[in-house]
Amino acid sequence: MTTPIMSDAELRAAVERELPGVRADLERLVRIPGIAFEGFDHAHVERSAEAVAELLRGCSLDVRIVRSGGQPAVIGTRPAPPGAPTVLLYAHHDVQPVGDLSLWESDPFEPVERDGRLYGRGAADDKAGIMAHVAALRAYGDTLPVGVVLFVEGEEEYGSDSLERLLAEHRDSLAADVIVIADSANWDVGVPALTTSLRGIVNFFVEVRTLQQAVHSGIFGGVVPDALTVLARLLATLHDDAGNVAVEGLSGRAGATVDYPPERFRAEAGVLDGVHLVGTDRITDRLWTKPSLSVLGIDAPATAEAPNALVPQARAKISVRLAPGDDPKQAYEALCAHVEKHVPWGARLDVLLEQGGAPCAIDATGPMFDAARSAFRTAWDGTDPVDIGIGGSIPFIATFQEMFPQAAILVTGVEDPQSRAHGPNESLHLGEFARVCLAETLLLSRVAAVGTGGGSVSKP
Ligand code: BES
Ligand code: MN
């Protein structure tokens, strides 16, 4: 028996029918505070994996919870009808910590709707990604025209340390013609996007030391450099006066074609009036195809407790986003060489790598990308998707590209510019979510129509 082909209208009706249940299950997932970071109760991550497994079993998938030393991931499979392609659907079930609770207008783990948005940690990033996959599977019921592999990771926000091993161990069950990574964003409310590049990441610590111990700032100040001043001078060498990254050996280029008007950017980021935007070239170049460097934190005496003493040592955490095409290892070497060369006054310097992750660029051409664009256009009532870069990172996309060079990688997502992923008051635009669910449903039938072998080789 061949799988009956559902029309776009039938699929639209089926998604409509499923949305209330999908919304209820999304809320159920948001109530589970599954945070993979060290120091958090990982029993919640286990519960979260269980809940995802249960949802996938409900879609008649063959489900396993797997791990390789890290947090649990869920793999659910359903074989392809004869001759049909297989699609890997990725999302992650872990979430970011909530930060300062007093900044949340409602409990991060008690989802609530306000003004058409669902608020809660993970409501967008990335539990809505999971539910978009589930929505598509439910819409088809037993008439799914493709094979699927659901892969729902449990430690993406903590750097996916064990993911490479997991992917290697389960390579055979993960093989697919198309990979859909529902962990990115759309361009605006009402304007869908296909993500075609992401930046890489290098996070590292620099520590400077000038004294064996703190000493009286009056007795010794003026002759002995304090470590905090040393650190400040070192950090100041990392950008030029215009705010471009001034580290030799990091790659980056201009060349984005999408315009992001500065006023829109300022409003979306919440930049205070009068504060300049840093860097040159288009905003989209600065966000997507050039490196950025930020200081995330400093360890030094807190001002409230700082005595009149010279600070003997100070440490900063630096985060660098790498342009597509750059290499985290080479970039880290360039960063080490820079700080070694620029540390002032002979201060002792220690550098420690925290985390590195590869950037990626996707050649978004070929029949599977056409299929995706057609599905998006239909779901957004005639609005074409924009090809965007993302300044954030999903390092394992590069791993997928290496493992499955023939597969087309479609990076989709549920976030919009107001989603505030990682921040307080994260939320999901429910109207856009409905379109995301429809788009993914339509995508599967278009992928089925392309058949196997429709992938293009994605360039690293
Ligand atoms: N979903 C994000 C990636 C992303 C960021 C997509 C911005 C769209 C817009 C992902 O969950 C994430 O935050 N990744 C981390 C990666 C890190 C832990 C290696 C990031 O970018 O900080
Ligand atoms: Mn995410």
Side-chain angles (χ1 to χ4, degrees), residues 150-167:
L150 268 279
F151 182 59
V152 184
E153 194 200 341
E155 57 180 27
E156 196 277 345
E157 300 289 7
Y158 193 52
S160 303
D161 277 352
S162 66
L163 190 69
E164 296 251 339
R165 287 198 303 276
L166 266 184
L167 292 179

Side-chain angles (χ1 to χ4, degrees), residues 344-405:
W345 303 325
R348 301 285 176 84
L349 173 74
D350 286 299
V351 189
L352 180 71
L353 179 66
E354 187 210 41
Q355 172 181 53
C360 74
I362 294 167
D363 173 12
T365 58
M368 290 305 181
F369 292 93
D370 295 343
R373 291 193 177 93
S374 155
F376 280 53
R377 192 181 311 116
T378 305
W380 269 267
D381 299 323
T383 302
D384 277 312
V386 183
D387 280 4
I388 61 169
I390 284 288
S393 313
I394 309 181
F396 60 82
I397 293 180
T399 315
F400 274 127
Q401 287 179 320
E402 272 169 34
M403 278 178 71
F404 304 115

Side-chain angles (χ1 to χ4, degrees), residues 92 125-126 156-157 183 415 422:
H92 60 89
D125 184 9
D126 187 28
E156 196 277 345
E157 300 289 7
D183 190 23
E415 291 177 35
H422 297 200

Side-chain angles (χ1 to χ4, degrees), residues 123-459:
D125 184 9
D126 187 28
K127 288 173 172 174
I130 303 173
M131 292 314 300
H133 299 323
V134 170
L137 297 180
R138 287 182 181 170
Y140 284 101
D142 49 18
T143 66
L144 191 64
V146 293
V148 285
V149 183
L150 268 279
F151 182 59
V152 184
E153 194 200 341
E155 57 180 27
E156 196 277 345
E157 300 289 7
Y158 193 52
S160 303
D161 277 352
S162 66
L163 190 69
E164 296 251 339
R165 287 198 303 276
L166 266 184
L167 292 179
E169 283 165 23
H170 300 279
R171 191 181 193 289
D172 292 344
S173 28
L174 296 174
D177 302 284
V178 182
I179 299 172
V180 179
I181 300 191
D183 190 23
S184 187
N186 284 308
W187 180 230
D188 206 349
V189 171
V191 187
L194 258 182
T195 298
T196 59
S197 72
L198 290 106
R199 288 195 290 194
I201 190 166
V202 172
N203 279 4
F204 66 106
F205 302 98
V206 290
E207 185 168 295
V208 293
R209 285 176 296 123
T210 56
L211 283 161
Q212 287 165 354
Q213 59 188 47
V215 294
H216 195 289
S217 58
I219 299 176
F220 298 103
V223 180
V224 179
D226 70 82
L228 198 41
T229 299
V230 165
L231 183 62
R233 291 182 73 101
L234 175 57
L235 296 179
T237 66
L238 295 166
H239 295 91
D240 65 19
D241 288 344
N244 295 298
V245 179
V247 178
E248 233 174 89
L250 297 187
S251 72
R253 58 181 175 86
T257 52
V258 179
D259 199 36
Y260 195 169
E263 314 73 54
R264 179 183 157 197
F265 176 81
R266 295 185 78 92
E268 287 177 1
V271 183
L272 299 180
D273 282 344
V275 174
H276 300 192
L277 301 183
V278 294
T280 47
D281 296 314
R282 267 178 203 264
I283 287 184
T284 41
D285 291 324
R286 284 180 257 169
L287 294 173
W288 301 346
T289 62
K290 293 177 69 176
S292 67
L293 185 153
S294 315
V295 182
L296 302 184
I298 284 185
D299 295 334
T303 55
E305 286 128 42
N308 286 339
L310 300 180
V311 174
Q313 66 184 59
R315 168 188 255 244
K317 177 173 177 177
I318 299 172
S319 180
V320 182
R321 298 285 177 169
L322 304 178
D326 208 346
D327 171 65
K329 199 165 165 286
Q330 271 173 17
Y332 181 58
E333 281 163 16
L335 288 157
C336 287
H338 179 101
V339 290
E340 276 155 23
K341 179 170 165 199
H342 287 89
V343 63
W345 303 325
R348 301 285 176 84
L349 173 74
D350 286 299
V351 189
L352 180 71
L353 179 66
E354 187 210 41
Q355 172 181 53
C360 74
I362 294 167
D363 173 12
T365 58
M368 290 305 181
F369 292 93
D370 295 343
R373 291 193 177 93
S374 155
F376 280 53
R377 192 181 311 116
T378 305
W380 269 267
D381 299 323
T383 302
D384 277 312
V386 183
D387 280 4
I388 61 169
I390 284 288
S393 313
I394 309 181
F396 60 82
I397 293 180
T399 315
F400 274 127
Q401 287 179 320
E402 272 169 34
M403 278 178 71
F404 304 115
Q406 299 305 321
I409 301 186
L410 307 173
V411 183
T412 67
V414 297
E415 291 177 35
D416 71 89
Q418 299 305 327
S419 288
R420 305 265 174 259
H422 297 200
N425 304 305
E426 174 178 351
S427 69
L428 172 72
H429 188 294
L430 289 163
E432 290 297 280
F433 179 59
R435 294 187 191 279
V436 168
C437 292
L438 175 59
E440 186 162 320
T441 306
L442 296 172
L443 170 67
L444 297 184
S445 80
R446 283 160 174 66
V447 164
V450 174
T452 53
S456 71
V457 179
S458 19
K459 292 186 193 120

Side-chain angles (χ1 to χ4, degrees), residues 29-53:
L29 290 183
V30 172
R31 289 194 182 94
I32 306 173
I35 298 164
F37 284 55
E38 223 173 275
F40 288 81
D41 183 356
H42 293 160
H44 296 304
V45 187
E46 300 291 335
R47 278 173 55 222
S48 164
E50 280 297 340
V52 171

Side-chain angles (χ1 to χ4, degrees), residues 76-109:
T77 53
R78 188 151 133 192
T86 295
V87 185
L88 186 152
L89 304 172
Y90 170 92
H92 60 89
H93 67 89
D94 65 308
V95 298
Q96 284 276 324
V98 299
D100 183 351
L101 255 184
S102 72
L103 299 174
W104 286 79
E105 279 170 39
S106 52
D107 183 341
F109 298 111

